[in-house]
Amino acid sequence: MKTLVLAEKPSVAREIARVMGARDKHKSYMEGPKYIVTWALGHLVGLAEPEDYDKKYATWNLEDLPILPERTKLKVLKETNHQYKAVQQLMKRQDVGELVIATDAAREGELLARWIMQMAGWKKPFKRLWISSQTDKAIKDGFASLKPGSQFDRLYESARCRAEADWMIGLNVTRALTVRFNAQLSAGRVQTPTLGMIMDRENEINGFRSQEYETLTADLGGFQAVWRAAGGDSRIFNPQETQELKKRVDGRKGTIAQVKKSEKVEPHPLAYDLTELQRDANRKYGFSAKQTSNVLQRLYEQHKLVTYPRTDSRYLTSDMTATLKERLDSVAIGPYASLARPLLRKNLNITKRIVDDSKVTDHHAIIPTEQTVLLNQLNPEERKLYDLIVRRFISLFYPAAKYDSVAITVQVGTIPSMSKVQQ
């Protein structure tokens, strides 16, 4: 008997087929002695439309709302109907005894596979390939430790719940608004509150009124100091007050009233999740969020240099601990050698800021894979983003930064204090 492997898209299916020996190519699948590898094209099956429940819903009427079916139905999507039929035929082959879900290891990947299985009437055993990178090693290790499909039932149910909530809220509210106001209006479970947040922020910006202020700096010989009011604010909103203070400071000597020295400790930043990486890429290189996502996808899928990109966690899992040195070794080249090599000569300091199973849901943070990188094969965008990820990963294993913070308060005559902070 053969095992049918369902990937999320053709490019991933090709990689799995190559690694697992399915070399006989067909239009919609690849086949080998043990595995048949096919793919979805995103969602092949989706939730049925209102008119699929009752033809009267084809016309939008306010009195028909809300539309809340007791049990939701599925339908094959027209635009990818050809691929669904191909997958369905493979599922019905007599020599196929088991299915491996190899879609993206995330809620949406689980949902699209389960809906295909449900629509095709799959009743045979199935397992789950759960990997966070696309390297040959990751694929082989993943197939060597396939997980029972039932272990991911709750993940599927959470995805199904979200999809049905999107359908019920988006469809009903959109129809209600459109009919009520006779205009093409749209609403959604995520779209509407997000739009509300944007509008709140826009109103804050429009309502903001800037106010000019000045600061007063005095040259006290060996250093410069900034005037601060009793509450610590250095801004002076009255220009006349600035001039009066300046006259009282010019040519006067100051007396050091207080010197306060303290040691500051700044731990390493957490590993990247997608949002934090998008922020840093925008701040340093001007990348848009979409641009960062696209470049990151290439680093993950094409170059196989980073782990799964669409993650909201900034921590790693305990089962990854043994792989961290191998990952460090793979990036210890070129500009990173001097940073990574010293760490490889000793035991890594693994703390709760790095590994914490309780703070990882679908996927761990974005880190390099064990694949050795050839930097000259990356384009400038890929190189910049990879640089951010590698440097952040290496920094995880360095001790906290320590420095002294010195605050000096100087009294000049009878005016309020002037201060200098040196770090």
Side-chain angles (χ1 to χ4, degrees):
M1 297 295 283
K2 293 189 176 184
T3 297
L4 178 63
V5 180
L6 177 62
E8 189 155 330
K9 49 189 173 181
S11 58
V12 176
R14 284 193 293 269
E15 289 300 299
I16 292 174
R18 177 182 60 79
V19 173
M20 303 310 294
R23 306 189 187 282
D24 189 6
K25 296 181 180 179
H26 298 267
K27 183 179 179 181
S28 55
Y29 66 96
M30 282 83 77
E31 187 168 356
K34 186 177 179 181
Y35 295 100
I36 302 169
V37 184
T38 188
W39 56 87
L41 296 168
H43 279 276
L44 301 182
V45 175
L47 292 171
E49 299 296 331
E51 51 267 32
D52 296 320
Y53 294 90
D54 191 323
K55 292 189 181 300
K56 72 176 183 179
Y57 294 140
T59 303
W60 292 23
N61 294 310
L62 207 57
E63 56 269 20
D64 290 333
L65 302 180
I67 303 170
L68 301 171
E70 284 189 24
R71 189 172 185 84
T72 55
K73 297 179 182 179
L74 298 175
K75 66 182 294 185
V76 177
L77 303 180
K78 288 182 180 178
E79 56 270 25
T80 53
N81 181 52
H82 63 286
Q83 185 61 22
Y84 169 77
K85 287 182 177 178
V87 174
Q88 184 185 43
Q89 288 174 358
L90 291 171
M91 286 183 169
K92 290 182 177 180
R93 274 178 49 166
Q94 295 301 310
D95 61 341
V96 171
E98 184 182 59
L99 173 70
V100 172
I101 298 177
T103 50
D104 282 356
R107 275 192 303 190
E108 207 61 27
E110 191 70 22
L111 182 68
L112 71 88
R114 297 292 189 104
W115 275 355
I116 292 170
M117 292 164 61
Q118 186 177 330
M119 197 72 186
W122 179 265
K123 301 297 183 184
K124 298 175 184 178
F126 70 100
K127 293 180 180 176
R128 187 54 156 110
L129 175 70
W130 193 267
I131 56 177
S132 61
S133 59
Q134 294 289 328
T135 64
D136 290 12
K137 182 178 184 298
I139 292 171
K140 288 177 182 177
D141 290 349
F143 271 88
S145 58
L146 292 170
K147 303 179 186 300
S150 58
Q151 186 175 321
F152 299 88
D153 285 348
R154 288 188 298 175
L155 182 67
Y156 160 62
E157 293 296 348
S158 70
R160 183 179 67 84
C161 179
R162 183 174 67 169
E164 291 181 2
D166 285 342
W167 189 94
M168 291 177 184
I169 296 172
L171 182 143
N172 283 291
V173 180
T174 295
R175 287 194 173 205
L177 289 172
T178 300
V179 174
R180 174 67 178 80
F181 295 102
N182 193 28
Q184 291 185 344
L185 301 173
S186 176
R189 180 183 63 87
V190 176
Q191 171 192 332
T192 301
T194 302
L195 180 60
M197 292 167 65
I198 293 171
M199 287 306 301
D200 286 345
R201 182 59 180 153
E202 182 71 10
N203 289 334
E204 284 180 17
I205 293 170
N206 291 337
F208 176 76
R209 295 294 176 264
S210 61
Q211 188 175 358
E212 291 186 358
Y213 65 89
E214 297 175 330
T215 59
L216 178 61
T217 302
D219 188 346
L220 300 175
F223 59 86
Q224 290 185 331
V226 177
W227 175 87
R228 295 183 186 278
D233 193 352
S234 63
R235 297 174 299 174
I236 307 170
F237 294 96
N238 185 344
Q240 186 177 349
E241 183 182 351
T242 307
Q243 293 302 316
E244 291 176 358
L245 287 171
K246 190 173 185 300
K247 289 177 183 178
R248 296 167 65 184
V249 171
D250 284 346
R252 302 286 297 274
K253 290 184 177 181
T255 303
I256 295 178
Q258 184 184 53
V259 177
K260 187 177 181 181
K261 180 179 178 180
S262 59
E263 183 181 79
K264 300 289 185 181
V265 178
E266 186 177 334
H268 64 75
L270 300 176
Y272 278 124
D273 63 3
L274 177 57
T275 302
E276 184 71 8
L277 182 58
Q278 286 171 324
R279 286 196 190 109
D280 276 7
N282 177 263
R283 180 175 54 83
K284 289 197 70 174
Y285 304 122
F287 288 6
S288 68
K290 181 66 174 174
Q291 184 180 5
T292 297
S293 293
N294 290 342
V295 174
L296 191 57
Q297 187 67 27
R298 293 201 300 271
L299 290 173
Y300 165 67
E301 189 176 314
Q302 179 183 333
H303 299 290
K304 307 178 190 300
L305 293 176
V306 302
T307 56
Y308 188 76
R310 294 187 291 279
T311 177
D312 60 359
S313 177
R314 302 186 66 186
Y315 294 86
L316 307 179
T317 52
S318 55
D319 61 344
M320 301 176 66
T321 304
T323 73
L324 296 179
K325 271 206 169 182
E326 185 179 2
R327 296 171 192 269
L328 269 175
D329 189 51
S330 72
V331 301
I333 61 164
Y336 315 117
S338 61
L339 298 171
R341 289 294 173 195
L343 295 170
L344 293 169
R345 291 193 285 268
K346 55 188 178 181
N347 292 329
L348 298 179
N349 183 27
I350 310 296
T351 67
K352 273 280 191 179
R353 284 182 65 81
I354 303 171
V355 173
D356 191 340
D357 291 333
S358 68
K359 294 183 179 178
V360 180
T361 51
D362 286 358
H363 284 284
H364 56 72
I366 301 168
I367 62 172
T369 65
E370 69 281 358
Q371 186 101 341
T372 301
V373 60
L374 298 174
L375 295 175
N376 60 357
Q377 292 186 356
L378 303 181
N379 67 32
E381 285 184 332
E382 294 163 349
R383 179 75 179 81
K384 288 175 180 176
L385 205 62
Y386 184 70
D387 184 75
L388 287 177
I389 296 167
V390 171
R391 290 184 183 277
R392 177 62 62 90
F393 176 66
I394 294 173
S395 74
L396 299 178
F397 308 103
Y398 272 90
K402 295 182 179 180
Y403 56 91
D404 288 335
S405 176
V406 181
I408 303 171
T409 303
V410 180
Q411 188 76 29
V412 182
T414 58
I415 72 166
S417 300
M418 307 197 72
S419 63
K420 177 196 180 187
V421 176
Q422 180 176 330
Q423 295 181 347

